Amino acid sequence: MNKFLLSVIIPTHKRNKKLKKIINQLMRQCPLGIKIEIIIIGEIYKNSGFFFKNLTKKKNIKIKVLKVKKNSNAIKRNTGIENAKGKYLILLDDDCLPDQKFLKDYLSLFKKINDNEILCGSVRYLSSKIKIENFTCYRQSRHFINVNNFISKKNTLPASNIVTMNMGMKNSKLLEKTKYFHKDFGGYGFEDYEFGFRLIKNGFIFLPSKPTVYHLDDRDYRSYMNKIYFLSRYSVISLKKINYQSWENTIYFKIENNFFVNFFSKNKLIYSLIETTEKLIEFTERNIFLYLPKLYRFGIFLSYCRGYYDRKGLTKYKNYDWYK
């Protein structure tokens, strides 16, 4: 018998202020009649463990802090799942604030799913900076939002659209057999996609659902493009080694095998085009009256090409550390 009804698993890397908001929100909405555990895994500031353990005195809520030095979300999530005692699991990121009905919505839906069914909750964005308002709108457009708290088992998500920052599932033997996230992924890139691809191949389905989080991410356009560059320059290498079949099913595989991408890589004008277009998009980002979603998509495409050309040794851009 499970000791807890729910295990909320939050991998982190030195985001104590946001973690405090998340935990307080979970505490406020946790029904007294159930027992939950909140498992925090990763690098935290000194003495934070003591702080988190003493954040609540409610007997039905327990907070665990598990230290993992390597900044790998795959390893952190696996560590959390392996130590979870709950009947149901909820995965959250450390910059995702649950809305006021988050736990209530999940508890309602958990009763309706089978062991091979995984819930992906809705994601909304809150922007506190006008200068990134346009880009925030674009990022919001890339996520689904379910208004009603019901699921249609005919409406499933492909691996490329799953949401691990807000995900719920049964803590079952069937899930345990999957070995969870692949531990060989590095700090960022494709661990979510490969997890979804592999589980779908083994009979799991991912269902869009209502439980909502607010993504507290004010990353601007330039930082996001550096993230895409990092994914292209380094993370692709890991995905190819770990699961080549999943790599062949990505849009990035099609990009790298596109005739024009490879043809123009031999012309130095492509590098000027990348730089000029990125500056143009940054200009639109500073102008709240210009919102051009297709231009953002083109910018993402070019940033991926930048990483691809670097990986092939065709260019010598500096290495961007998007974590900073």
Side-chain angles (χ1 to χ4, degrees):
M1 180 178 293
N2 298 85
K3 184 178 180 181
F4 297 93
L5 183 63
L6 288 178
S7 295
V8 183
I9 298 164
I10 311 174
T12 189
H13 186 74
K14 298 181 178 180
R15 282 178 172 166
N16 293 32
K17 290 183 179 179
K18 290 181 179 178
L19 275 174
K20 184 178 179 180
K21 290 181 180 179
I22 294 170
I23 293 171
N24 281 333
Q25 180 67 287
L26 293 172
M27 286 167 48
R28 280 194 291 268
Q29 59 186 269
C30 179
L32 293 175
I34 69 169
K35 294 185 69 175
I36 75 168
E37 59 176 356
I38 302 172
I39 307 175
I40 301 164
I41 319 102
E43 188 78 13
I44 54 178
Y45 289 115
K46 189 176 180 180
N47 297 325
S48 295
F50 178 80
F51 170 77
F52 290 130
K53 288 178 182 177
N54 290 275
L55 189 61
T56 175
K57 293 183 179 179
K58 293 185 177 180
K59 294 182 179 180
N60 64 319
I61 302 176
K62 182 176 181 179
I63 298 176
K64 298 179 182 178
V65 180
L66 306 176
K67 293 184 179 180
V68 174
K69 291 185 178 180
K70 187 173 181 180
N71 190 21
S72 164
N73 279 337
I75 293 176
K76 292 174 190 176
R77 290 195 184 109
N78 286 353
T79 302
I81 295 172
E82 289 163 359
N83 285 273
K85 306 297 183 183
K87 181 178 180 180
Y88 302 107
L89 308 176
I90 296 176
L91 302 183
L92 271 179
D93 277 4
D94 61 355
D95 59 354
C96 291
L97 181 67
D99 78 352
Q100 296 180 354
K101 295 183 179 180
F102 181 78
L103 291 182
K104 180 180 179 181
D105 288 339
Y106 260 127
L107 287 170
S108 173
L109 293 176
F110 280 143
K111 301 173 184 178
K112 303 174 184 178
I113 63 171
N114 300 314
D115 290 358
N116 69 325
E117 296 169 339
I118 296 178
L119 301 171
C120 291
S122 301
V123 177
R124 294 181 181 271
Y125 282 83
L126 291 176
S127 175
S128 60
K129 300 179 182 179
I130 294 178
K131 70 176 183 178
I132 65 166
E133 182 176 345
N134 289 343
F135 189 56
T136 301
C137 290
Y138 173 76
R139 294 184 71 188
Q140 180 66 80
S141 72
R142 308 303 293 168
H143 286 281
F144 62 83
I145 296 175
N146 280 28
V147 179
N148 298 313
N149 198 33
F150 66 87
I151 51 176
S152 171
K153 298 190 179 183
K154 295 181 180 179
N155 180 23
T156 62
L157 295 170
S160 57
N161 292 102
I162 68 170
V163 184
T164 53
M165 69 174 78
N166 178 13
M167 178 177 283
M169 66 205 82
K170 286 189 174 183
N171 190 2
S172 66
K173 293 292 183 181
L174 187 62
L175 180 67
E176 185 179 356
K177 290 180 180 179
T178 69
K179 305 297 182 184
Y180 317 127
F181 296 85
H182 202 290
K183 61 182 179 60
D184 290 341
F185 280 105
Y188 169 80
F190 291 118
E191 72 275 3
D192 298 351
Y193 166 75
E194 193 278 333
F195 169 78
F197 183 88
R198 178 163 37 85
L199 265 63
I200 290 171
K201 292 286 287 185
N202 284 278
F204 281 79
I205 62 173
F206 292 83
L207 302 166
S209 59
K210 182 190 175 185
T212 303
V213 298
Y214 293 94
H215 197 186
L216 307 177
D217 183 2
D218 280 338
R219 184 182 295 122
D220 60 12
Y221 167 77
R222 170 56 60 187
S223 297
Y224 191 83
M225 294 305 99
N226 290 344
K227 175 180 175 179
I228 298 299
Y229 167 85
F230 183 95
L231 179 140
S232 175
R233 174 64 181 85
Y234 300 104
S235 303
V236 164
I237 299 172
S238 297
L239 181 62
K240 287 181 178 180
K241 291 180 179 178
I242 292 169
N243 191 335
Y244 197 84
Q245 186 182 18
S246 70
W247 157 246
E248 291 180 314
N249 282 269
T250 65
I251 190 173
Y252 304 113
F253 175 83
K254 295 179 181 179
I255 290 175
E256 294 190 13
N257 286 275
N258 182 277
F259 170 79
F260 292 102
V261 170
N262 287 284
F263 175 79
F264 284 110
S265 69
K266 301 174 184 178
N267 191 324
K268 291 185 178 181
L269 288 176
I270 189 65
Y271 315 131
S272 298
L273 176 62
I274 291 174
E275 293 176 355
T276 302
T277 305
E278 288 183 338
K279 289 179 181 178
L280 176 62
I281 299 175
E282 286 185 284
F283 170 76
T284 67
E285 192 57 42
R286 291 191 292 268
N287 189 330
I288 63 174
F289 299 105
L290 290 177
Y291 175 53
L292 305 171
K294 290 185 178 179
L295 194 60
Y296 285 127
R297 296 193 69 177
F298 188 54
I300 291 172
F301 164 75
L302 291 179
S303 292
Y304 185 87
C305 288
R306 176 157 51 96
Y308 171 59
Y309 295 147
D310 256 17
R311 184 170 12 111
K312 293 294 183 181
L314 301 173
T315 59
K316 292 185 178 180
Y317 284 93
K318 64 180 180 179
N319 291 335
Y320 290 91
D321 186 358
W322 70 272
Y323 286 105
K324 293 180 181 179

